[in-house]
mmCIF file with all atom_site columns, all heavy atoms in Angstrom:
data_model
loop_
_atom_site.group_PDB
_atom_site.id
_atom_site.type_symbol
_atom_site.label_atom_id
_atom_site.label_alt_id
_atom_site.label_comp_id
_atom_site.label_asym_id
_atom_site.label_entity_id
_atom_site.label_seq_id
_atom_site.pdbx_PDB_ins_code
_atom_site.Cartn_x
_atom_site.Cartn_y
_atom_site.Cartn_z
_atom_site.occupancy
_atom_site.B_iso_or_equiv
_atom_site.pdbx_formal_charge
_atom_site.auth_seq_id
_atom_site.auth_comp_id
_atom_site.auth_asym_id
_atom_site.auth_atom_id
_atom_site.pdbx_PDB_model_num
ATOM 1   N N   . ILE A 1 50  ? 75.386 37.626 99.085  1.00 84.00 ? 198 ILE A N   1
ATOM 2   C CA  . ILE A 1 50  ? 74.103 36.985 98.788  1.00 84.00 ? 198 ILE A CA  1
ATOM 3   C C   . ILE A 1 50  ? 73.052 37.990 98.313  1.00 84.00 ? 198 ILE A C   1
ATOM 4   O O   . ILE A 1 50  ? 72.194 37.659 97.508  1.00 84.00 ? 198 ILE A O   1
ATOM 5   C CB  . ILE A 1 50  ? 73.602 36.144 99.980  1.00 84.00 ? 198 ILE A CB  1
ATOM 6   C CG1 . ILE A 1 50  ? 72.664 35.052 99.471  1.00 84.00 ? 198 ILE A CG1 1
ATOM 7   C CG2 . ILE A 1 50  ? 72.943 36.997 101.048 1.00 84.00 ? 198 ILE A CG2 1
ATOM 8   C CD1 . ILE A 1 50  ? 72.556 33.862 100.358 1.00 84.00 ? 198 ILE A CD1 1
ATOM 9   N N   . GLU A 1 53  ? 74.382 39.299 94.461  1.00 69.00 ? 201 GLU A N   1
ATOM 10  C CA  . GLU A 1 53  ? 74.438 38.313 93.393  1.00 69.00 ? 201 GLU A CA  1
ATOM 11  C C   . GLU A 1 53  ? 73.256 37.358 93.343  1.00 69.00 ? 201 GLU A C   1
ATOM 12  O O   . GLU A 1 53  ? 72.941 36.838 92.284  1.00 69.00 ? 201 GLU A O   1
ATOM 13  C CB  . GLU A 1 53  ? 75.734 37.488 93.525  1.00 69.00 ? 201 GLU A CB  1
ATOM 14  C CG  . GLU A 1 53  ? 76.993 38.329 93.370  1.00 69.00 ? 201 GLU A CG  1
ATOM 15  C CD  . GLU A 1 53  ? 77.146 38.884 91.968  1.00 69.00 ? 201 GLU A CD  1
ATOM 16  O OE1 . GLU A 1 53  ? 76.751 38.214 91.004  1.00 69.00 ? 201 GLU A OE1 1
ATOM 17  O OE2 . GLU A 1 53  ? 77.661 40.011 91.856  1.00 69.00 ? 201 GLU A OE2 1
ATOM 18  N N   . HIS A 1 54  ? 72.613 37.083 94.472  1.00 75.00 ? 202 HIS A N   1
ATOM 19  C CA  . HIS A 1 54  ? 71.697 35.956 94.491  1.00 75.00 ? 202 HIS A CA  1
ATOM 20  C C   . HIS A 1 54  ? 70.295 36.263 94.999  1.00 75.00 ? 202 HIS A C   1
ATOM 21  O O   . HIS A 1 54  ? 69.326 35.872 94.376  1.00 75.00 ? 202 HIS A O   1
ATOM 22  C CB  . HIS A 1 54  ? 72.306 34.819 95.310  1.00 75.00 ? 202 HIS A CB  1
ATOM 23  C CG  . HIS A 1 54  ? 73.716 34.511 94.891  1.00 75.00 ? 202 HIS A CG  1
ATOM 24  N ND1 . HIS A 1 54  ? 74.023 33.914 93.701  1.00 75.00 ? 202 HIS A ND1 1
ATOM 25  C CD2 . HIS A 1 54  ? 74.902 34.756 95.496  1.00 75.00 ? 202 HIS A CD2 1
ATOM 26  C CE1 . HIS A 1 54  ? 75.334 33.790 93.588  1.00 75.00 ? 202 HIS A CE1 1
ATOM 27  N NE2 . HIS A 1 54  ? 75.893 34.295 94.663  1.00 75.00 ? 202 HIS A NE2 1
ATOM 28  N N   . ILE A 1 55  ? 70.179 36.886 96.131  1.00 80.00 ? 203 ILE A N   1
ATOM 29  C CA  . ILE A 1 55  ? 68.871 37.181 96.704  1.00 80.00 ? 203 ILE A CA  1
ATOM 30  C C   . ILE A 1 55  ? 68.678 38.692 96.678  1.00 80.00 ? 203 ILE A C   1
ATOM 31  O O   . ILE A 1 55  ? 69.444 39.426 97.289  1.00 80.00 ? 203 ILE A O   1
ATOM 32  C CB  . ILE A 1 55  ? 68.762 36.657 98.152  1.00 80.00 ? 203 ILE A CB  1
ATOM 33  C CG1 . ILE A 1 55  ? 68.912 35.135 98.169  1.00 80.00 ? 203 ILE A CG1 1
ATOM 34  C CG2 . ILE A 1 55  ? 67.439 37.076 98.768  1.00 80.00 ? 203 ILE A CG2 1
ATOM 35  C CD1 . ILE A 1 55  ? 68.977 34.546 99.568  1.00 80.00 ? 203 ILE A CD1 1
ATOM 36  N N   . ALA A 1 117 ? 77.262 32.004 101.253 1.00 91.00 ? 265 ALA A N   1
ATOM 37  C CA  . ALA A 1 117 ? 76.256 32.700 100.454 1.00 91.00 ? 265 ALA A CA  1
ATOM 38  C C   . ALA A 1 117 ? 76.135 32.066 99.071  1.00 91.00 ? 265 ALA A C   1
ATOM 39  O O   . ALA A 1 117 ? 75.027 31.860 98.560  1.00 91.00 ? 265 ALA A O   1
ATOM 40  C CB  . ALA A 1 117 ? 76.604 34.183 100.323 1.00 91.00 ? 265 ALA A CB  1
ATOM 41  N N   . ARG A 1 118 ? 77.247 31.734 98.457  1.00 90.00 ? 266 ARG A N   1
ATOM 42  C CA  . ARG A 1 118 ? 77.221 31.089 97.138  1.00 90.00 ? 266 ARG A CA  1
ATOM 43  C C   . ARG A 1 118 ? 76.572 29.712 97.216  1.00 90.00 ? 266 ARG A C   1
ATOM 44  O O   . ARG A 1 118 ? 75.795 29.335 96.348  1.00 90.00 ? 266 ARG A O   1
ATOM 45  C CB  . ARG A 1 118 ? 78.636 30.992 96.577  1.00 90.00 ? 266 ARG A CB  1
ATOM 46  C CG  . ARG A 1 118 ? 79.170 32.329 96.144  1.00 90.00 ? 266 ARG A CG  1
ATOM 47  C CD  . ARG A 1 118 ? 80.545 32.202 95.535  1.00 90.00 ? 266 ARG A CD  1
ATOM 48  N NE  . ARG A 1 118 ? 81.034 33.520 95.186  1.00 90.00 ? 266 ARG A NE  1
ATOM 49  C CZ  . ARG A 1 118 ? 82.298 33.833 95.081  1.00 90.00 ? 266 ARG A CZ  1
ATOM 50  N NH1 . ARG A 1 118 ? 83.227 32.922 95.265  1.00 90.00 ? 266 ARG A NH1 1
ATOM 51  N NH2 . ARG A 1 118 ? 82.666 35.055 94.755  1.00 90.00 ? 266 ARG A NH2 1
ATOM 52  N N   . ALA A 1 119 ? 76.904 28.950 98.249  1.00 92.00 ? 267 ALA A N   1
ATOM 53  C CA  . ALA A 1 119 ? 76.332 27.611 98.401  1.00 92.00 ? 267 ALA A CA  1
ATOM 54  C C   . ALA A 1 119 ? 74.822 27.681 98.620  1.00 92.00 ? 267 ALA A C   1
ATOM 55  O O   . ALA A 1 119 ? 74.067 26.904 98.020  1.00 92.00 ? 267 ALA A O   1
ATOM 56  C CB  . ALA A 1 119 ? 77.003 26.881 99.563  1.00 92.00 ? 267 ALA A CB  1
ATOM 57  N N   . VAL A 1 120 ? 74.374 28.604 99.444  1.00 91.00 ? 268 VAL A N   1
ATOM 58  C CA  . VAL A 1 120 ? 72.943 28.776 99.693  1.00 91.00 ? 268 VAL A CA  1
ATOM 59  C C   . VAL A 1 120 ? 72.241 29.152 98.392  1.00 91.00 ? 268 VAL A C   1
ATOM 60  O O   . VAL A 1 120 ? 71.184 28.610 98.050  1.00 91.00 ? 268 VAL A O   1
ATOM 61  C CB  . VAL A 1 120 ? 72.695 29.846 100.777 1.00 91.00 ? 268 VAL A CB  1
ATOM 62  C CG1 . VAL A 1 120 ? 71.241 30.265 100.826 1.00 91.00 ? 268 VAL A CG1 1
ATOM 63  C CG2 . VAL A 1 120 ? 73.161 29.339 102.137 1.00 91.00 ? 268 VAL A CG2 1
ATOM 64  N N   . SER A 1 121 ? 72.830 30.065 97.659  1.00 88.00 ? 269 SER A N   1
ATOM 65  C CA  . SER A 1 121 ? 72.240 30.508 96.400  1.00 88.00 ? 269 SER A CA  1
ATOM 66  C C   . SER A 1 121 ? 72.179 29.384 95.377  1.00 88.00 ? 269 SER A C   1
ATOM 67  O O   . SER A 1 121 ? 71.173 29.195 94.696  1.00 88.00 ? 269 SER A O   1
ATOM 68  C CB  . SER A 1 121 ? 73.033 31.683 95.834  1.00 88.00 ? 269 SER A CB  1
ATOM 69  O OG  . SER A 1 121 ? 72.494 32.076 94.604  1.00 88.00 ? 269 SER A OG  1
ATOM 70  N N   . GLU A 1 122 ? 73.275 28.633 95.258  1.00 88.00 ? 270 GLU A N   1
ATOM 71  C CA  . GLU A 1 122 ? 73.295 27.521 94.306  1.00 88.00 ? 270 GLU A CA  1
ATOM 72  C C   . GLU A 1 122 ? 72.261 26.471 94.667  1.00 88.00 ? 270 GLU A C   1
ATOM 73  O O   . GLU A 1 122 ? 71.591 25.923 93.791  1.00 88.00 ? 270 GLU A O   1
ATOM 74  C CB  . GLU A 1 122 ? 74.694 26.904 94.246  1.00 88.00 ? 270 GLU A CB  1
ATOM 75  C CG  . GLU A 1 122 ? 75.695 27.790 93.539  1.00 88.00 ? 270 GLU A CG  1
ATOM 76  C CD  . GLU A 1 122 ? 77.128 27.277 93.646  1.00 88.00 ? 270 GLU A CD  1
ATOM 77  O OE1 . GLU A 1 122 ? 77.345 26.156 94.181  1.00 88.00 ? 270 GLU A OE1 1
ATOM 78  O OE2 . GLU A 1 122 ? 78.041 27.998 93.208  1.00 88.00 ? 270 GLU A OE2 1
ATOM 79  N N   . ARG A 1 123 ? 72.112 26.198 95.951  1.00 88.00 ? 271 ARG A N   1
ATOM 80  C CA  . ARG A 1 123 ? 71.111 25.228 96.387  1.00 88.00 ? 271 ARG A CA  1
ATOM 81  C C   . ARG A 1 123 ? 69.715 25.720 96.063  1.00 88.00 ? 271 ARG A C   1
ATOM 82  O O   . ARG A 1 123 ? 68.874 24.969 95.588  1.00 88.00 ? 271 ARG A O   1
ATOM 83  C CB  . ARG A 1 123 ? 71.251 24.972 97.878  1.00 88.00 ? 271 ARG A CB  1
ATOM 84  C CG  . ARG A 1 123 ? 70.266 23.958 98.383  1.00 88.00 ? 271 ARG A CG  1
ATOM 85  C CD  . ARG A 1 123 ? 70.479 23.620 99.822  1.00 88.00 ? 271 ARG A CD  1
ATOM 86  N NE  . ARG A 1 123 ? 69.475 22.662 100.228 1.00 88.00 ? 271 ARG A NE  1
ATOM 87  C CZ  . ARG A 1 123 ? 69.277 22.294 101.468 1.00 88.00 ? 271 ARG A CZ  1
ATOM 88  N NH1 . ARG A 1 123 ? 70.035 22.776 102.418 1.00 88.00 ? 271 ARG A NH1 1
ATOM 89  N NH2 . ARG A 1 123 ? 68.341 21.433 101.771 1.00 88.00 ? 271 ARG A NH2 1
ATOM 90  N N   . GLN A 1 124 ? 69.477 27.003 96.306  1.00 85.00 ? 272 GLN A N   1
ATOM 91  C CA  . GLN A 1 124 ? 68.166 27.582 96.013  1.00 85.00 ? 272 GLN A CA  1
ATOM 92  C C   . GLN A 1 124 ? 67.878 27.520 94.519  1.00 85.00 ? 272 GLN A C   1
ATOM 93  O O   . GLN A 1 124 ? 66.780 27.161 94.107  1.00 85.00 ? 272 GLN A O   1
ATOM 94  C CB  . GLN A 1 124 ? 68.106 29.030 96.492  1.00 85.00 ? 272 GLN A CB  1
ATOM 95  C CG  . GLN A 1 124 ? 66.778 29.705 96.216  1.00 85.00 ? 272 GLN A CG  1
ATOM 96  C CD  . GLN A 1 124 ? 66.775 31.172 96.623  1.00 85.00 ? 272 GLN A CD  1
ATOM 97  O OE1 . GLN A 1 124 ? 67.766 31.700 97.102  1.00 85.00 ? 272 GLN A OE1 1
ATOM 98  N NE2 . GLN A 1 124 ? 65.667 31.831 96.411  1.00 85.00 ? 272 GLN A NE2 1
ATOM 99  N N   . GLN A 1 125 ? 68.864 27.853 93.700  1.00 85.00 ? 273 GLN A N   1
ATOM 100 C CA  . GLN A 1 125 ? 68.688 27.800 92.246  1.00 85.00 ? 273 GLN A CA  1
ATOM 101 C C   . GLN A 1 125 ? 68.424 26.371 91.782  1.00 85.00 ? 273 GLN A C   1
ATOM 102 O O   . GLN A 1 125 ? 67.597 26.131 90.899  1.00 85.00 ? 273 GLN A O   1
ATOM 103 C CB  . GLN A 1 125 ? 69.908 28.380 91.537  1.00 85.00 ? 273 GLN A CB  1
ATOM 104 C CG  . GLN A 1 125 ? 70.023 29.885 91.687  1.00 85.00 ? 273 GLN A CG  1
ATOM 105 C CD  . GLN A 1 125 ? 71.323 30.414 91.118  1.00 85.00 ? 273 GLN A CD  1
ATOM 106 O OE1 . GLN A 1 125 ? 72.181 29.666 90.688  1.00 85.00 ? 273 GLN A OE1 1
ATOM 107 N NE2 . GLN A 1 125 ? 71.471 31.739 91.138  1.00 85.00 ? 273 GLN A NE2 1
ATOM 108 N N   . LYS A 1 126 ? 69.130 25.404 92.374  1.00 86.00 ? 274 LYS A N   1
ATOM 109 C CA  . LYS A 1 126 ? 68.944 24.000 92.008  1.00 86.00 ? 274 LYS A CA  1
ATOM 110 C C   . LYS A 1 126 ? 67.541 23.555 92.377  1.00 86.00 ? 274 LYS A C   1
ATOM 111 O O   . LYS A 1 126 ? 66.868 22.872 91.586  1.00 86.00 ? 274 LYS A O   1
ATOM 112 C CB  . LYS A 1 126 ? 69.979 23.135 92.722  1.00 86.00 ? 274 LYS A CB  1
ATOM 113 C CG  . LYS A 1 126 ? 69.903 21.672 92.364  1.00 86.00 ? 274 LYS A CG  1
ATOM 114 C CD  . LYS A 1 126 ? 70.946 20.868 93.105  1.00 86.00 ? 274 LYS A CD  1
ATOM 115 C CE  . LYS A 1 126 ? 70.788 19.377 92.762  1.00 86.00 ? 274 LYS A CE  1
ATOM 116 N NZ  . LYS A 1 126 ? 71.709 18.543 93.530  1.00 86.00 ? 274 LYS A NZ  1
ATOM 117 N N   . GLU A 1 127 ? 67.067 23.914 93.557  1.00 86.00 ? 275 GLU A N   1
ATOM 118 C CA  . GLU A 1 127 ? 65.707 23.549 93.981  1.00 86.00 ? 275 GLU A CA  1
ATOM 119 C C   . GLU A 1 127 ? 64.664 24.186 93.071  1.00 86.00 ? 275 GLU A C   1
ATOM 120 O O   . GLU A 1 127 ? 63.670 23.552 92.734  1.00 86.00 ? 275 GLU A O   1
ATOM 121 C CB  . GLU A 1 127 ? 65.479 23.946 95.436  1.00 86.00 ? 275 GLU A CB  1
ATOM 122 C CG  . GLU A 1 127 ? 66.251 23.096 96.424  1.00 86.00 ? 275 GLU A CG  1
ATOM 123 C CD  . GLU A 1 127 ? 66.138 23.587 97.858  1.00 86.00 ? 275 GLU A CD  1
ATOM 124 O OE1 . GLU A 1 127 ? 65.454 24.605 98.114  1.00 86.00 ? 275 GLU A OE1 1
ATOM 125 O OE2 . GLU A 1 127 ? 66.752 22.960 98.740  1.00 86.00 ? 275 GLU A OE2 1
ATOM 126 N N   . GLU A 1 128 ? 64.873 25.442 92.689  1.00 84.00 ? 276 GLU A N   1
ATOM 127 C CA  . GLU A 1 128 ? 63.944 26.109 91.791  1.00 84.00 ? 276 GLU A CA  1
ATOM 128 C C   . GLU A 1 128 ? 63.935 25.442 90.418  1.00 84.00 ? 276 GLU A C   1
ATOM 129 O O   . GLU A 1 128 ? 62.886 25.287 89.802  1.00 84.00 ? 276 GLU A O   1
ATOM 130 C CB  . GLU A 1 128 ? 64.293 27.599 91.671  1.00 84.00 ? 276 GLU A CB  1
ATOM 131 C CG  . GLU A 1 128 ? 64.004 28.392 92.926  1.00 84.00 ? 276 GLU A CG  1
ATOM 132 C CD  . GLU A 1 128 ? 64.544 29.816 92.854  1.00 84.00 ? 276 GLU A CD  1
ATOM 133 O OE1 . GLU A 1 128 ? 65.151 30.200 91.821  1.00 84.00 ? 276 GLU A OE1 1
ATOM 134 O OE2 . GLU A 1 128 ? 64.366 30.551 93.854  1.00 84.00 ? 276 GLU A OE2 1
ATOM 135 N N   . TYR A 1 129 ? 65.100 25.035 89.948  1.00 85.00 ? 277 TYR A N   1
ATOM 136 C CA  . TYR A 1 129 ? 65.219 24.372 88.645  1.00 85.00 ? 277 TYR A CA  1
ATOM 137 C C   . TYR A 1 129 ? 64.514 23.026 88.685  1.00 85.00 ? 277 TYR A C   1
ATOM 138 O O   . TYR A 1 129 ? 63.790 22.666 87.753  1.00 85.00 ? 277 TYR A O   1
ATOM 139 C CB  . TYR A 1 129 ? 66.698 24.203 88.278  1.00 85.00 ? 277 TYR A CB  1
ATOM 140 C CG  . TYR A 1 129 ? 66.913 23.456 86.989  1.00 85.00 ? 277 TYR A CG  1
ATOM 141 C CD1 . TYR A 1 129 ? 66.699 24.076 85.767  1.00 85.00 ? 277 TYR A CD1 1
ATOM 142 C CD2 . TYR A 1 129 ? 67.318 22.132 87.009  1.00 85.00 ? 277 TYR A CD2 1
ATOM 143 C CE1 . TYR A 1 129 ? 66.888 23.380 84.569  1.00 85.00 ? 277 TYR A CE1 1
ATOM 144 C CE2 . TYR A 1 129 ? 67.507 21.421 85.829  1.00 85.00 ? 277 TYR A CE2 1
ATOM 145 C CZ  . TYR A 1 129 ? 67.299 22.047 84.607  1.00 85.00 ? 277 TYR A CZ  1
ATOM 146 O OH  . TYR A 1 129 ? 67.484 21.352 83.445  1.00 85.00 ? 277 TYR A OH  1
ATOM 147 N N   . GLU A 1 130 ? 64.721 22.263 89.759  1.00 87.00 ? 278 GLU A N   1
ATOM 148 C CA  . GLU A 1 130 ? 64.104 20.940 89.882  1.00 87.00 ? 278 GLU A CA  1
ATOM 149 C C   . GLU A 1 130 ? 62.601 21.037 90.037  1.00 87.00 ? 278 GLU A C   1
ATOM 150 O O   . GLU A 1 130 ? 61.870 20.148 89.611  1.00 87.00 ? 278 GLU A O   1
ATOM 151 C CB  . GLU A 1 130 ? 64.722 20.169 91.035  1.00 87.00 ? 278 GLU A CB  1
ATOM 152 C CG  . GLU A 1 130 ? 66.150 19.749 90.773  1.00 87.00 ? 278 GLU A CG  1
ATOM 153 C CD  . GLU A 1 130 ? 66.829 19.142 91.992  1.00 87.00 ? 278 GLU A CD  1
ATOM 154 O OE1 . GLU A 1 130 ? 66.235 19.150 93.107  1.00 87.00 ? 278 GLU A OE1 1
ATOM 155 O OE2 . GLU A 1 130 ? 67.973 18.650 91.827  1.00 87.00 ? 278 GLU A OE2 1
ATOM 156 N N   . ALA A 1 131 ? 62.116 22.117 90.660  1.00 85.00 ? 279 ALA A N   1
ATOM 157 C CA  . ALA A 1 131 ? 60.680 22.302 90.860  1.00 85.00 ? 279 ALA A CA  1
ATOM 158 C C   . ALA A 1 131 ? 59.976 22.705 89.564  1.00 85.00 ? 279 ALA A C   1
ATOM 159 O O   . ALA A 1 131 ? 58.785 22.477 89.397  1.00 85.00 ? 279 ALA A O   1
ATOM 160 C CB  . ALA A 1 131 ? 60.423 23.352 91.935  1.00 85.00 ? 279 ALA A CB  1
ATOM 161 N N   . ALA A 1 132 ? 60.739 23.292 88.636  1.00 78.00 ? 280 ALA A N   1
ATOM 162 C CA  . ALA A 1 132 ? 60.137 23.779 87.387  1.00 78.00 ? 280 ALA A CA  1
ATOM 163 C C   . ALA A 1 132 ? 59.938 22.703 86.370  1.00 78.00 ? 280 ALA A C   1
ATOM 164 O O   . ALA A 1 132 ? 59.946 21.624 86.333  1.00 78.00 ? 280 ALA A O   1
ATOM 165 C CB  . ALA A 1 132 ? 61.020 24.842 86.769  1.00 78.00 ? 280 ALA A CB  1
#
Side-chain angles (χ1 to χ4, degrees):
I198 205 156
E201 297 293 326
H202 310 289
I203 298 173
R266 288 183 182 155
V268 167
S269 178
E270 288 172 6
R271 181 175 179 189
Q272 180 184 1
Q273 289 173 355
K274 182 180 177 184
E275 289 174 0
E276 290 172 0
Y277 177 76
E278 290 172 353

